[in-house]
């Protein structure tokens, strides 16, 4: 089944609109996300937002009052870094669904048609294209070898 270029562009635009809506929803969800970490001795809990900002520090005991300043600083740094690492992983995980979006759109738009051949002279003018073209040829050859 062959699609016209107009249909391919229409499909790509629909896919792009869908992806933009999903990205906006994910970004809104992540904006409101928080992560927390509690020290090993359960003295303090830190809550951070998606940007790594400190939302709250809650001291569950008064043990911090008798701690040396350097020790208290170490505990706070550890708790904050743990919470920030947790929220960072969640942000990366949430956004990883959108990796490769550009290539997917290009493929859906060109559909493996002669449009790639038509655009090749323009692509060849890009800096570094010779290296990319050679790599693409090697990749295709490896796929052909694999297919037998």
């Amino acid at each position: 089944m062959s699609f016209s270029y107009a249909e391919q562009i229409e499909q790509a635009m629909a896919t792009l609109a869908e992806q933009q809506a999903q990205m906006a929803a994910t970004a809104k969800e992540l904006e409101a996300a928080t992560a927390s970490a509690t020290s090993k001795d359960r003295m303090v809990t830190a809550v951070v937002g998606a940007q790594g900002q400190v939302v709250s520090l809650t001291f569950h005991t008064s043990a911090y009052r008798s701690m040396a300043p350097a020790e208290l600083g170490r505990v706070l740094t550890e708790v904050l870094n743990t919470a920030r690492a947790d929220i960072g992983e969640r942000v990366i995980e949430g956004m990883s669904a959108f990796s490769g979006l550009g290539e997917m759109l290009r493929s859906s738009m060109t559909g493996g048609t002669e449009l790639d051949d038509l655009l090749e002279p323009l692509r060849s003018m890009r800096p570094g294209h010779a290296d990319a073209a050679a790599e693409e040829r090697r990749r295709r050859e490896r796929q052909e070898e694999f297919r037998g």
Side-chain angles (χ1 to χ4, degrees):
M1 181 173 182
S2 178
F3 292 105
S4 71
Y5 293 128
E7 290 172 322
Q8 290 175 1
I9 290 172
E10 188 177 314
Q11 283 181 338
M13 293 305 289
T15 301
L16 179 60
E18 181 182 313
Q19 290 290 324
Q20 284 177 325
Q22 288 177 353
M23 285 177 101
T26 300
K28 187 174 183 177
E29 183 181 307
L30 289 173
E31 248 178 60
T34 60
S36 64
T38 301
S39 62
K40 292 175 186 172
D41 61 4
R42 302 203 171 280
M43 178 187 69
V44 63
T45 298
V47 178
V48 298
Q51 302 284 317
Q53 73 276 23
V54 178
V55 174
S56 70
L57 285 173
T58 305
F59 290 90
H60 305 290
T61 69
S62 59
Y64 68 92
R65 293 181 184 181
S66 61
M67 295 176 83
E71 184 182 2
L72 178 58
R74 183 191 55 75
V75 170
L76 292 175
T77 301
E78 182 179 305
V79 169
L80 287 167
N81 286 339
T82 301
R84 284 182 175 146
D86 182 40
I87 196 70
E89 287 174 12
R90 288 176 39 201
V91 167
I92 289 169
E93 183 180 307
M95 297 309 287
S96 68
F98 304 106
S99 67
L101 176 61
E103 179 61 27
M104 186 267 310
L105 285 173
R106 188 195 73 75
S107 294
S108 70
M109 197 169 117
T110 61
T113 65
E114 63 275 359
L115 185 58
D116 281 331
D117 295 334
L118 183 67
L119 295 175
E120 182 57 32
L122 291 174
R123 288 190 188 111
S124 67
M125 297 167 73
R126 264 190 338 220
H129 175 73
D131 296 335
E135 180 58 35
E136 179 64 21
R137 277 193 301 278
R138 283 191 294 274
R139 186 183 63 76
R140 286 182 184 166
E141 288 169 1
R142 284 193 303 262
Q143 286 177 343
E144 289 302 318
E145 287 175 12
F146 181 72
R147 291 180 188 148

